[in-house]
Amino acid sequence: MNSRWVIQKLTSHIPSCLSTIFSPSKTLTRETPSYQVSTFLLTHVDISLLLSICGREGWFPHLGPCLHASIVKNPEFFEPVDADIHRNALVVWNSLLALYVRRGKLVDALKLFDEMPMIDSISQNTLFSGFLKNREIESGFILLKRMVRSGGFDQATLTIVLSVCDIPELCLVTKMIHGLAILSGYDKEISVGNALITSYFHCRCSVSGRRVFDEVVQRNVITWTAVISGLIQNELHEDGLRLFSLMRGGLVHPNSVTYLSALAACSGSQRIMEGQQIHALLWKFGFESELCIESALMDMYSKCGSIEDAWKIFESTEEIDEVSMTVILVGLAQNGSEEEAIHFFIRMLQAGVEIDASVVSAVLGVSFVDNSLGLGKQLHSLVVKRRFSGNTFVNNGLINMYSKCGDLTDSLSVFRRMSKRNYVSWNSMVAAFARHGDVLAALKLYEEMMTQDVKPTDVTFLSLLHACSHVGLIDKGRELLNMMRDVHGIEPRTQHYACIVDMLGRAGLLKEAKSFIDSLPLKPDCLIWQALLGACSFHGDTEIGKYAAEQLFQTAPDSSAAHVLMANIYSSRGQWKERAKTIKRMKAMGVTKETGISWIEIENKIHSFVVEDKLHPQAEAIYDALSGLYPVVVDEGYRPEKKIVLNYTGEDQKGVAVSVP
């Protein structure tokens, strides 16, 4: 039976582009003082299509209620009279329900669902999906309970609920749905298996995700891609690459998404050789020209330190978007070409390229910006002009930029004006206070985090411990370390322990610092030994300094820190022969000290200097000024500190080259 129905509607409410879907067998029009009425004959398929277009194109406010009213007023076509009408009518009711769900009208959708003369599993899944996608979790699970009790759920129901289990706190829910899938027999369905794998990895339950993969009977490309991308998301890059290699040896061929995940694994593990092999495969199978693939290749080469190869891909690409430009910009910055990154950004602006918030955020992350307050303020002006001030990531970049440029006031101003803050925002501001030595403000902001239910991270405590170390708050530092582990369940990393060692060392408690290292639950690395050796250098403790230096030699034989710090210890004690032996051994081992650089910004231009620098165009004038200043500062009581003098030969030497490690 080809059921048709008559619907009357106001033509002013119908978009003209919808006229193509109508199949008018007869059109009647009549003039009225206020509007024109048209009569169209539509099939159930036409109505369902119209409802779908209405939801997709955003025409719900006018057309949606009209269609709903017409359906209600014509019950003879939308109530189950015979099998054909029942089947066709169900399609229309489900389309109407989907329209309300898609537009976020959940209250109306639930009311419609309760009043529908017929429902099926599609009806239930449509409403269930709407609740979960709009984070109405409690209402969604009440409906799920009803569906389970009535036996009305199916494999689609399970995949819907698994799709929203994407945070660690919902791992238990994933396990419950997994159990329900096993009891109902849906665990054998490939779509359910794929959803379980994805959900487990999103919830950081990588072991369970891999186990589901190992147990599934059928695997398609989605199955393989889900587990490979899941491993990469959990930073198990090596495992992801091994599984990708295993996939290529089987019957299922990777798709472009699989290759993207494999390239991300190469980026994360800096495996350029494997990345080049994947690049060759992409050329072989014709994927290399896809825009997302080209961006992933640029990212891989950049993170593996081959910015030249990344630039070649960038120059050869036929289409360039904001993502690829952001990738190459960040790549330039991360590979020591920070000035080129800034110039690249300026060229983007001059060329009229549409700059989005992610590009600005990437530029703010370039450390070159942190050395130039003038450039940073220009970027802030651009942020205001382009209306990016509401972007959390951009504001986080501004907080860091201002604090690293020494402008704590503007850093705090950006933070306070933010309408939305994430944990990075709070951590950035805590770090800003710590960087400027304002430990009381840092601790106060940490307490404010607690009152606003913002969970601290290991980075939060790292900044707080750093601040306590620099002002000598030993008891508070110990309290924070214990609170981090016992209250918040955050396991301290090497950096946190190094802060405690530095804190004790600065206070002159070198023996206590050594005992603290001996009691650590992990093997001390070079960072911890360098903190202890630095404290010994500061206080001139030769005995513990030698012990720390020996440990540092073993953990980081190529590091210059142990040699330089021991040389400083000997200098502070006047043991010049021992100091000479240390420097000689350093040179014999081929270890070189990284050159320290000082800089100053004058009229938006950065001037950088190293020890005994003669390359600056104004070097002669600078040295003339220094030679005039030196006797003045000596008359004021200045004496060079021997413990930081690398080339010190005596008290009477008027010009000394100093090097602070």
Side-chain angles (χ1 to χ4, degrees), residues 90 94 97-98 101-102 106 109 113 116 118-134 139-140 143-148 150-164 180 186 191-192:
L90 193 54
N94 286 340
L97 181 64
V101 168
R102 185 165 192 167
L106 296 183
F113 179 81
M116 283 169 58
M118 63 202 81
I119 61 171
D120 62 358
S121 60
I122 295 176
S123 317
Q124 294 176 319
N125 286 336
T126 299
L127 184 61
F128 181 55
S129 175
F131 281 131
L132 296 188
K133 286 181 179 179
N134 287 275
S139 299
L143 179 59
L144 177 61
K145 188 181 295 185
R146 285 170 51 186
M147 295 167 67
V148 171
S150 64
F153 75 96
D154 56 14
Q155 64 188 61
T157 313
L158 301 180
T159 57
I160 289 169
V161 67
L162 288 170
S163 67
V164 299
L180 183 60
Y186 287 124
S191 60
V192 175

Side-chain angles (χ1 to χ4, degrees), residues 183-203:
L183 292 173
S184 60
Y186 287 124
D187 61 313
K188 302 296 188 296
E189 297 290 339
I190 193 168
S191 60
V192 175
N194 293 346
L196 281 169
I197 293 170
T198 303
S199 181
Y200 272 127
F201 279 113
H202 282 169
C203 294

Side-chain angles (χ1 to χ4, degrees), residues 24 50 59 66 93 155 167 186 188 218-219 237 247 271 301 316 378 389 416 442 487 490 516 531 602 620 639:
L50 186 58
W59 296 326
C66 293
W93 283 113
Q155 64 188 61
I167 55 176
Y186 287 124
K188 302 296 188 296
Q218 291 182 316
R219 297 171 182 167
H237 304 110
M247 178 186 183
R271 300 284 289 271
Y301 281 120
S316 64
Q378 290 179 33
S389 299
R416 290 303 181 192
V487 177
I490 302 173
F516 176 79
I602 301 175
E620 185 176 348
R639 294 292 182 273

Side-chain angles (χ1 to χ4, degrees), residues 278-510:
I278 294 172
H279 191 177
L281 290 172
L282 291 167
W283 272 98
K284 180 179 179 180
F285 297 116
F287 289 119
E288 82 287 345
S289 59
E290 293 185 16
L291 197 58
C292 57
I293 292 291
E294 289 174 332
S295 297
L297 283 168
M298 285 187 278
D299 182 66
M300 182 273 295
Y301 281 120
S302 296
K303 289 181 178 175
C304 290
S306 182
I307 190 63
E308 296 82 6
D309 289 325
W311 186 258
K312 287 178 183 177
I313 296 173
F314 179 78
E315 287 188 318
S316 64
T317 184
E318 295 181 0
E319 184 180 355
I320 298 173
D321 65 352
E322 288 82 1
V323 175
S324 58
M325 287 187 289
T326 304
V327 168
I328 201 68
L329 191 152
V330 173
L332 288 167
Q334 291 177 340
N335 285 274
S337 302
E338 296 177 345
E339 289 192 48
E340 288 81 355
I342 297 299
H343 293 318
F344 179 78
F345 175 68
I346 293 172
R347 288 204 305 271
M348 289 170 61
L349 290 172
Q350 292 172 342
V353 176
E354 186 64 30
I355 303 296
D356 62 8
S358 61
V359 176
V360 177
S361 180
V363 176
L364 286 168
V366 176
S367 60
F368 183 84
V369 178
D370 298 334
N371 302 330
S372 174
L373 183 60
L375 178 58
K377 288 188 174 182
Q378 290 179 33
L379 287 171
H380 194 174
S381 298
L382 180 66
V383 168
V384 175
K385 182 179 179 181
R386 297 295 176 92
R387 298 181 179 178
F388 297 149
S389 299
N391 187 284
T392 304
F393 300 102
V394 170
N395 284 322
N396 293 344
L398 288 171
I399 292 171
N400 284 319
M401 180 274 296
Y402 276 121
S403 68
K404 290 179 180 178
C405 287
D407 192 341
L408 185 59
T409 302
D410 280 340
S411 186
L412 181 60
S413 178
V414 172
F415 177 79
R416 290 303 181 192
R417 285 200 304 265
M418 290 177 68
S419 57
K420 293 182 180 179
R421 304 182 186 124
N422 57 15
Y423 71 93
V424 178
S425 314
W426 291 89
N427 285 347
S428 298
M429 199 62 236
V430 171
F433 284 128
R435 189 176 294 117
H436 287 256
D438 196 343
V439 64
L440 295 179
L443 291 171
K444 185 177 180 180
L445 193 64
Y446 164 71
E447 293 172 359
E448 187 178 341
M449 288 177 67
M450 298 298 98
T451 59
Q452 297 198 21
D453 294 329
V454 180
K455 293 184 178 180
T457 66
D458 58 339
V459 178
T460 314
F461 287 100
L462 191 61
S463 297
L464 292 172
L465 290 173
H466 176 75
C468 290
S469 173
H470 280 265
V471 297
L473 293 180
I474 298 175
D475 292 337
K476 187 62 179 180
R478 286 170 170 163
E479 179 188 335
L480 288 168
L481 184 68
N482 294 331
M483 188 182 299
M484 172 185 179
R485 183 174 43 222
D486 301 335
V487 177
H488 299 285
I490 302 173
E491 195 62 32
R493 294 184 284 119
T494 301
Q495 291 91 328
H496 299 92
Y497 293 128
C499 278
I500 298 295
V501 173
D502 181 67
M503 181 174 62
L504 295 171
R506 285 174 181 269
L509 304 174
L510 298 176

Side-chain angles (χ1 to χ4, degrees), residues 611 638 640-641 644-648 656-660:
V611 173
Y638 167 75
E641 288 202 36
I644 61 170
V645 175
L646 192 59
N647 297 321
Y648 184 84
V656 292
V658 296
S659 176
V660 181

